Amino acid sequence: MRPSNLMIILMVNDLNMLWFSSVIFFLVVGLIVVLEYSLRIFYQYYGRSYVWKPYQKIRMEIDQRALQGIPAVCNLVVNSQGEIGSEPPKRKFWRALAVGGSAVECYYLGSHWGWTAELQRKLDQPEALHRLCASAVHVGNISQSGIDSAALAMTLEAILPQYKQLDMVFCMVGGSDVVRWLANGAPDSGESRSRNYQSFFGLRQRRLYRWRISDMAATECVRGICRKCFCKETVKKNVGSRLLKLRKMRMDASAIRDDMGNPEKMLQRYEENLRRVLTMCREKSERVFLILQPWFDREIKTEEEGRFWDGAQGEPYVENVTIYFSFSVLRDCMRLINKSAKNVADSLGIAVIDLQEAVPPGFNNYYDYFHFTKE
């Protein structure tokens, strides 16, 4: 074979390989594009929102110096529906949902020792099941630390429609409204320290996707499969130790404010948001209970002040705070917020549960001004 003919054959083969490679490349790109847009359309219509990412497992080794009254090891488990707690029964069951902030979340107590877990254990008793005319009970918890009434209204707008059945809803919110208002200096305008409300969602499938690997719908689909099939337990050590620093920050404060602005506008906004929350809950369930948040409502002795870190004018988790509000200001604010909450619930005909007497102030029940121990 002459060299010229050999060169022609090689050139033809190279062209064929180039053509074949180009076809394969464009087919793969086309399939990726079709898959990506198909998933975007699917998530737009059927995507779900979660406060907690489904299938999380967190083992917390508690710093006993910071969190007395909390078990040394706590496990936080999130089920497939983004709720703190166990999976719902497969058979027909009676379903309750708890919503609110950190006093409902009970993060440091995990998914076994929080009050919603205790509520489920009590409702799962034969006598309670008989009164409910149910064969099984499930109490889901979609609460998260820092959620105020405005954030709760926004999250419930996205999450409540995902539930086909809710037999009862428990709502406790208000403490974060006070905390965020004080963090902003307790102004007469009622403005609270701003926060990106989208951060309260652990996962939102119905959102804007982009042509960036981390923001693609296909990537979200892969993440979901990995969460479900390859979920690993996350171990956190010395959990709660940062509270030691926060308590010292309050003890070292340069000023303790015993005054606050006019809370009228703050309370007005709280009532508007709470009305939205309770109205949405009642549209989903006939039985709705508003729980008034209890707190450490007694005079605090000088030697006890080192146990608290609450009442900062600022964000102690992310900045050095030197000004705090007195415990009397915290007490007055909580009394006002609970009074407003009761007024809203009464106007809507919603039952109110006042836990202040049931959870009396004391370090056997509280590890700070708002949050509960195992007891």
Side-chain angles (χ1 to χ4, degrees):
M1 183 179 293
R2 290 190 299 178
S4 58
N5 292 337
L6 181 61
M7 288 295 295
I8 293 173
I9 292 173
L10 291 175
M11 290 178 62
V12 170
N13 288 336
D14 288 343
L15 288 172
N16 287 337
M17 284 298 298
L18 180 62
W19 179 85
F20 181 75
S21 300
S22 300
V23 170
I24 295 297
F25 173 78
F26 285 111
L27 280 175
V28 170
V29 171
L31 286 173
I32 292 174
V33 171
V34 170
L35 176 63
E36 174 67 17
Y37 278 112
S38 298
L39 286 171
R40 291 186 184 188
I41 293 171
F42 176 82
Y43 284 145
Q44 183 63 33
Y45 286 96
Y46 301 106
R48 298 173 67 88
S49 297
Y50 304 94
V51 172
W52 291 88
K53 288 183 181 179
Y55 304 108
Q56 287 187 78
K57 296 177 183 178
I58 304 173
R59 174 186 168 88
M60 296 180 286
E61 298 179 2
I62 304 297
D63 188 333
Q64 297 288 286
R65 300 170 303 161
L67 290 168
Q68 299 175 20
I70 304 294
V73 177
C74 290
N75 294 289
L76 190 145
V77 178
V78 181
N79 64 23
S80 62
Q81 302 189 17
E83 302 168 335
I84 297 175
S86 59
E87 286 291 330
K90 293 183 179 180
R91 63 186 186 277
K92 187 176 180 180
F93 61 96
W94 187 92
R95 184 166 205 160
L97 186 69
V99 302
S102 56
V104 187
E105 174 196 53
C106 297
Y107 178 79
Y108 292 129
L109 291 171
S111 51
H112 184 72
W113 299 112
W115 65 262
T116 55
E118 181 63 25
L119 175 63
Q120 174 159 334
R121 284 191 287 271
K122 290 184 179 298
L123 294 177
D124 239 343
Q125 298 299 314
E127 183 178 339
L129 290 173
H130 177 72
R131 295 184 63 180
L132 294 172
C133 299
S135 59
V137 167
H138 175 74
V139 180
N141 185 344
I142 58 169
S143 307
Q144 191 181 92
S145 176
I147 284 188
D148 58 12
S149 57
L152 182 59
M154 185 203 68
T155 55
L156 291 183
E157 283 178 350
I159 293 175
L160 279 183
Q162 298 171 178
Y163 285 92
K164 295 180 181 179
Q165 165 213 350
L166 282 176
D167 297 292
M168 187 175 290
V169 178
F170 297 94
C171 175
M172 183 198 292
V173 66
S176 292
D177 289 78
V178 169
V179 170
R180 302 198 72 76
W181 182 58
L182 295 180
N184 202 36
D188 292 341
S189 64
E191 293 290 338
S192 298
R193 180 64 72 96
S194 61
R195 179 170 175 178
N196 178 15
Y197 288 155
Q198 296 297 325
S199 65
F200 289 112
F201 289 100
L203 173 63
R204 295 202 77 173
Q205 293 177 334
R206 188 180 299 178
R207 60 183 175 85
L208 179 64
Y209 292 97
R210 297 182 175 86
W211 285 103
R212 189 169 55 188
I213 292 179
S214 60
D215 292 333
M216 291 175 62
T219 304
E220 180 56 50
C221 182
V222 172
R223 289 194 191 112
I225 294 172
C226 291
R227 276 194 299 268
K228 184 175 182 179
C229 300
F230 308 106
C231 180
K232 294 184 179 180
E233 182 179 73
T234 301
V235 178
K236 295 186 176 182
K237 298 181 181 294
N238 297 320
V239 174
S241 58
R242 62 180 175 178
L243 293 183
L244 298 173
K245 179 181 177 181
L246 299 183
R247 289 166 179 162
K248 186 178 185 302
M249 195 182 296
R250 181 180 174 96
M251 292 297 293
D252 295 340
S254 61
I256 301 293
R257 288 184 56 180
D258 204 25
D259 65 297
M260 61 178 178
N262 188 339
E264 183 178 351
K265 291 187 178 180
M266 182 272 290
L267 294 171
Q268 182 181 350
R269 292 182 180 180
Y270 169 72
E271 291 178 7
E272 291 172 356
N273 291 321
L274 182 62
R275 190 176 298 276
R276 287 173 57 204
V277 167
L278 295 179
T279 299
M280 283 188 285
C281 291
R282 193 167 61 178
E283 290 173 352
K284 201 66 182 180
S285 173
E286 292 182 0
R287 301 182 185 92
V288 178
F289 291 91
L290 175 67
I291 303 175
L292 302 182
Q293 182 169 338
W295 72 96
F296 204 100
D297 188 17
R298 72 163 171 81
E299 292 297 323
I300 296 172
K301 301 175 184 178
T302 303
E303 61 269 22
E304 296 175 334
E305 292 182 357
R307 301 285 294 270
F308 300 93
W309 57 276
D310 318 84
Q313 182 175 318
E315 299 281 358
Y317 280 102
V318 297
E319 62 184 340
N320 185 45
V321 178
T322 58
I323 301 174
Y324 283 78
F325 287 89
S326 67
F327 296 116
S328 61
V329 170
L330 282 171
R331 180 191 62 228
D332 292 343
C333 286
M334 289 305 298
R335 288 177 178 175
L336 288 171
I337 209 84
N338 277 356
K339 182 180 179 181
S340 293
K342 189 176 186 305
N343 290 338
V344 172
D346 289 344
S347 69
L348 294 173
I350 288 174
V352 175
I353 300 174
D354 190 346
L355 292 180
Q356 194 63 56
E357 293 185 5
V359 191
F363 295 112
N364 58 322
N365 289 325
Y366 298 85
Y367 64 79
D368 62 14
Y369 203 75
F370 296 108
H371 302 107
F372 312 126
T373 64
K374 177 185 172 183
E375 299 299 322

